[in-house]
Amino acid sequence: MRSLARLAAFLFLQPLAAAAQECPAGGWLRLEGERPAAVAPGALIAEMARRDVVLLGEHHDEADHHRWQLHTLAALHAQRPKMVIGFEAFPRRVQPALDKWVAGALTVPQFLAEAKWEEVWSMPAELYLPLFEFARLHRVPMVALNVDRSLTAAVAAKGWDAVPEGEREGVSRPAPAPQAYRDELARVHKEHKEKVPLASFIEAQQTWDRAMAQALAPRAADALVVGIIGSGHLRHGHGVPLQLRDLGVRRVATLLPVEASQCKDLVAGLADAAFVLPERVALKPPPPRLGVQIAQDGEVVRLAEVVPGSLAEKSGLRKGDVIALAAGKPVKRAGELVALVRAQPGGTWLPLQVKRGAETQELVVKFPPAQ
């Protein structure tokens, strides 16, 4: 489900005033008591390294979040070199590719191909490659935490009990969600006008949480386990931390990166601590190259949104269109279309076959010349 994959981007923080001087850029804040409090990095990292599992949050498309994760990984590794790193980005079926990468048996292109990166995760690989390289250089095992989208989609469509046990990828029944988590997921469900029942939507999110917790828990017996996971799965101890506790893993830490402008929104219990990212010089982002949002429905790639005035709209594409062929090749995965558009040189044409309702249309996207 596309909405579930983007969920972390919509689980926002709840407000509590914090003075600007209490939010040092490039520093850590412990989120206990009535107000966030600055804490020495060395003391915090030493404490976190004594936990069984440390979960590092992220917004998937924020480069500084991944840079912070890398630095925090390195600091934790210096304290406890026996480490395992789990990644939400990978479903369990690609675990052999992760093992071969850490062993040094694959080049970067080979690893991304064997791990089916463009198929399983729609974010640019360069955001995550420094983390993968860290694991390879230090021979730190990498663990695929996720399940196939088809499982969470099936749960969302018909509920947990209706999915046969043999199709659950070994995921056990999740611990019940606390009311606060249910309320937050209900808000997301309403805002995004989900067509699936709310109860099934919540069960799908919890299936996702449970799957990642089950992949992390067994590794915590004799190593420091670090999870690279979207922040929406971690906040307030809900999501993955709740499922880890239900599986008997008690010493769980959650660390989040926050923008300086979000300091006023920090509350006790949101996480164990937050790292305040310095402000960056704002650059005007370029317009989307094609100007669409893509949804994956089974093996169907659908346009969830078409940006007004975009190249896609000017080419005749509309919201709801199904992309059947691109450059004469069948399109069954969103990543295939994303990769093709990214690779398209300026000044060239990309023919598309589009299904719109009962009709099939041939459209051509004409990319403007490179500047």
Side-chain angles (χ1 to χ4, degrees), residues 29-32 44 48 51 252-255 270-274:
L29 294 174
R30 189 182 292 279
L31 303 183
E32 296 176 349
L44 180 72
M48 296 298 105
R51 302 291 180 92
V252 179
T254 54
L255 304 176
L270 177 70
D272 287 270

Side-chain angles (χ1 to χ4, degrees), residues 296-310:
Q296 182 80 51
D297 299 326
E299 292 191 345
V300 173
V301 176
R302 190 182 308 277
L303 301 186
E305 296 291 343
V306 174
V307 177
S310 66

Side-chain angles (χ1 to χ4, degrees), residues 330-353:
V331 177
K332 295 185 177 181
R333 291 291 176 186
E336 296 171 348
L337 181 61
V338 170
L340 192 59
V341 170
R342 286 179 183 159
Q344 198 74 20
T348 59
W349 294 9
L350 177 62
L352 301 175
Q353 185 184 92

Side-chain angles (χ1 to χ4, degrees), residues 15-305:
L16 177 71
Q21 62 268 23
E22 295 175 337
C23 190
W28 286 94
L29 294 174
R30 189 182 292 279
L31 303 183
E32 296 176 349
E34 295 183 1
R35 303 175 72 90
V39 59
L44 180 72
I45 292 297
E47 177 188 342
M48 296 298 105
R50 292 192 292 270
R51 302 291 180 92
D52 296 322
V53 176
V54 179
L55 304 174
L56 305 182
E58 65 178 55
H59 287 173
H60 304 312
D61 58 352
E62 290 286 348
D64 269 357
H65 289 200
H66 300 296
R67 296 183 182 109
W68 163 78
Q69 287 172 330
L70 178 62
H71 300 163
T72 306
L73 264 178
L76 290 168
H77 186 261
Q79 297 276 337
R80 283 183 68 183
K82 192 170 185 182
M83 174 185 282
V84 173
I85 308 172
F87 290 91
E88 177 190 359
F90 296 110
R92 298 173 182 184
R93 60 185 167 87
V94 304
Q95 183 63 49
L98 275 61
D99 296 338
K100 290 165 67 175
W101 166 257
V102 172
L106 299 175
T107 65
V108 169
Q110 288 171 335
F111 170 57
L112 296 178
E114 290 200 20
K116 303 184 184 302
W117 181 264
E118 293 290 352
E119 174 185 324
V120 303
W121 205 245
S122 59
M123 297 295 144
E126 54 265 28
L127 293 174
Y128 290 84
L129 275 172
L131 297 166
F132 304 156
E133 294 285 13
F134 178 90
R136 181 186 63 83
L137 287 171
H138 296 277
R139 291 296 192 259
V140 176
M142 292 170 56
V143 178
L145 301 182
N146 223 324
V147 289
D148 278 329
R149 295 172 185 169
S150 59
L151 173 57
T152 52
V155 175
K158 51 190 179 183
W160 170 266
D161 289 330
V163 178
E165 185 174 352
E167 298 177 10
R168 295 175 184 168
E169 295 194 43
V171 180
S172 58
R173 182 180 294 276
Q179 189 60 48
Y181 194 30
R182 297 180 66 86
D183 291 344
E184 184 61 29
L185 293 176
R187 181 180 68 81
V188 174
H189 182 272
K190 181 178 179 180
E191 286 183 0
H192 293 272
K193 300 179 180 179
E194 294 288 343
K195 297 179 181 179
V196 300
L198 174 59
S200 297
F201 179 80
I202 293 174
E203 285 186 328
Q205 175 66 21
Q206 288 211 280
T207 300
W208 198 356
D209 296 333
R210 184 72 170 193
M212 290 193 281
Q214 279 187 252
L216 291 166
R219 276 85 179 179
D222 61 353
L224 174 61
V225 178
V226 180
I228 304 297
I229 296 175
S231 296
H233 293 284
L234 312 181
R235 293 176 177 148
H236 296 288
H238 302 152
V240 177
L242 168 67
Q243 300 303 327
L244 281 168
R245 292 193 297 271
D246 185 65
L247 292 167
V249 181
R250 301 296 178 186
R251 298 191 303 167
V252 179
T254 54
L255 304 176
L256 298 179
V258 298
E259 311 298 328
S261 60
Q262 293 177 307
C263 283
K264 65 181 182 301
D265 300 323
L266 297 177
V267 295
L270 177 70
D272 287 270
F275 182 83
V276 184
L277 297 168
E279 298 276 356
R280 294 177 62 87
V281 176
L283 295 175
K284 184 178 180 180
R289 190 145 190 258
L290 189 56
V292 297
Q293 291 183 8
I294 306 171
Q296 182 80 51
D297 299 326
E299 292 191 345
V300 173
V301 176
R302 190 182 308 277
L303 301 186
E305 296 291 343

